[in-house]
Amino acid sequence: MEDKNKEPIIVTRNLTKIYRTSKTRLKALSSVDIDVMPGEFVAIVGTSGSGKSTLLSLLAGLEPPSAGRIAIKGRGIHRMSENQLVDFRLKHTGFVFQSFNLFEVLTAQENAAYPLMAQGVKREERMERANELLTQLGLGGHLDHKPGELSGGQQQRVSIARAIITDPDIVFADEPTGNLDSDTADQIIRILKDISDRKNTTVLMVTHDMERAAYADRVIYIEDGRIVDLEEGKK
């Protein structure tokens, strides 16, 4: 998938994360170097505690590295202030969580539209865009339903709609199929794959599920905080 004429959208060099307490020092990531191309669908795979979710959190700017650098679209996010990071994430990234993280008091439509409200888009426009996107994801009949009235798969599709409604350059997905049955998990992976292929959106997905990881263009294996293998996806 890589085009030599393109610059990577994500670059990390010597990326390291150390968690310290008064008694312990845990190196969660150690000298990780990654280049991700625009529009690439990358799966980050490893066992529990391998460092894969830590890597995703650092790439998404949700926590700072202990050492090394992270460049996204040529900008060093490891140097940004919290306010700069919030603004950068709002403009350039979306996030899909394993536990959906929807607002229980909001409808599916309002949840999907929420990032547009944060961007200052007027209510009529943002609700119209949320309606269109949720309908594309098969939820046209559930716009007024709150999360508690939706199945897990439906909630995850609302979460995906929320992540992509701003047309971000990058979608980060942390175990997006972890709480779903097999058939629903396949549907969610195909949606993410379609977003990457059709909209040229870069997708980084953390998973422990090798069957779903095979849908990615490239699979990165992490063990004990280090990249131990890279391979092409198989589907």
Side-chain angles (χ1 to χ4, degrees):
M1 168 153 196
E2 291 189 10
D3 183 340
K4 292 182 179 179
N5 295 319
K6 286 185 178 180
E7 293 293 327
I9 190 169
I10 299 174
V11 176
T12 76
R13 293 294 181 266
N14 192 38
L15 191 60
T16 299
K17 182 65 177 181
I18 299 170
Y19 294 103
R20 291 183 175 89
T21 68
S22 58
K23 297 182 179 179
T24 62
R25 179 179 180 273
L26 172 65
K27 184 174 278 191
L29 283 181
S30 182
S31 302
V32 171
D33 294 349
I34 294 175
D35 289 3
V36 179
M37 303 305 292
E40 191 174 15
F41 184 2
V42 176
I44 303 170
V45 175
T47 59
S48 178
S50 62
K52 61 186 187 300
S53 290
T54 297
L55 175 58
L56 200 73
S57 292
L58 265 60
L59 295 177
L62 299 178
E63 56 181 305
S66 302
R69 60 187 180 91
I70 309 166
I72 297 181
K73 294 178 67 77
R75 297 181 61 187
I77 69 166
H78 58 288
R79 298 193 187 100
M80 291 182 180
S81 68
E82 184 57 35
N83 286 341
Q84 289 173 323
L85 281 169
V86 169
D87 184 65
F88 188 85
R89 287 195 296 262
L90 189 60
K91 291 178 179 176
H92 299 290
T93 70
F95 211 105
V96 180
F97 300 89
Q98 177 179 353
S99 55
F100 318 135
N101 282 23
L102 300 175
F103 294 105
E104 293 293 333
V105 298
L106 300 183
T107 66
Q109 189 176 13
E110 289 167 339
N111 266 289
Y114 187 80
L116 295 177
M117 182 178 71
Q119 288 187 345
V121 176
K122 292 183 179 179
R123 178 176 173 81
E124 183 178 355
E125 180 183 345
R126 67 178 186 258
M127 296 298 276
E128 182 178 339
R129 286 168 63 177
N131 182 346
E132 180 180 346
L133 187 52
L134 288 169
T135 299
Q136 290 173 6
L137 293 173
L139 293 174
H142 300 278
L143 300 179
D144 294 330
H145 290 187
K146 294 183 178 178
E149 302 170 307
L150 300 172
S151 70
Q154 289 169 335
Q155 290 186 66
Q156 194 59 292
R157 278 182 277 170
V158 174
S159 175
I160 290 172
R162 179 184 59 189
I164 66 173
I165 197 165
T166 59
D167 289 324
D169 301 296
I170 305 166
V171 169
F172 297 102
D174 191 2
E175 296 280 8
T177 63
N179 290 334
L180 306 176
D181 63 78
S182 181
D183 288 343
T184 305
D186 283 341
Q187 293 172 18
I188 295 302
I189 291 299
R190 291 190 183 102
I191 289 171
L192 292 173
K193 177 67 172 171
D194 180 67
I195 291 165
S196 175
D197 290 343
R198 182 170 50 84
K199 299 174 72 70
N200 200 40
T201 302
T202 303
V203 177
L204 269 75
M205 175 183 71
V206 158
T207 184
H208 65 275
D209 187 334
M210 289 307 306
E211 184 176 349
R212 273 83 204 190
Y215 282 88
D217 301 313
R218 186 157 52 112
V219 183
I220 297 174
Y221 295 87
I222 289 188
E223 184 178 305
D224 296 328
R226 296 179 180 273
I227 294 177
V228 294
D229 198 10
L230 301 168
E231 68 176 33
E232 299 296 310
K234 297 182 175 65
K235 292 189 180 183

